[in-house]
Amino acid sequence: MPSSTKTQRWIDLIAALLSNRLPSSFERLAREVPAYMADGSVLAGKPSASVKRTFERDKKELHAFGLPIERSGDDGDPENGPGDPSGSASSGYLW
């Protein structure tokens, strides 16, 4: 059974995905999930490897529960991770 912290992070991620009508970049989603903001790297504009790993793990675990999070569009900037930081309709994550 997931911890209450993990469950809250999942709920926040799902809410962030549902609140955006267009695909969202990782950076945009990370700003909407308080747990991803905890180490300050997202706010500084350069999400840490740890935050990115947590996001990837959350995606995988939610998929196992039947809630897939998919990429849309091109790969974006490899330095900042997938997706267009502007959150344009051509690239990003969606439900």
Side-chain angles (χ1 to χ4, degrees), residues 71 73-85 91:
R71 278 273 295 129
D74 57 44
D75 290 337
D77 179 358
E79 176 87 8
N80 294 320
D84 175 3
S91 178

Side-chain angles (χ1 to χ4, degrees), residues 61-85:
E61 291 169 341
L62 288 171
H63 187 270
F65 282 107
L67 304 169
I69 299 170
E70 299 178 359
R71 278 273 295 129
S72 169
D74 57 44
D75 290 337
D77 179 358
E79 176 87 8
N80 294 320
D84 175 3

Side-chain angles (χ1 to χ4, degrees), residues 24-56:
S24 298
S25 68
F26 165 73
E27 290 80 4
R28 183 175 184 170
L29 288 173
R31 287 191 304 269
E32 296 181 31
V33 177
Y36 296 159
M37 299 280 293
D39 73 356
S41 65
V42 172
L43 190 59
K46 187 147 177 85
S48 68
S50 174
V51 171
K52 290 177 184 180
R53 282 191 309 271
T54 300
F55 174 68
E56 292 300 323

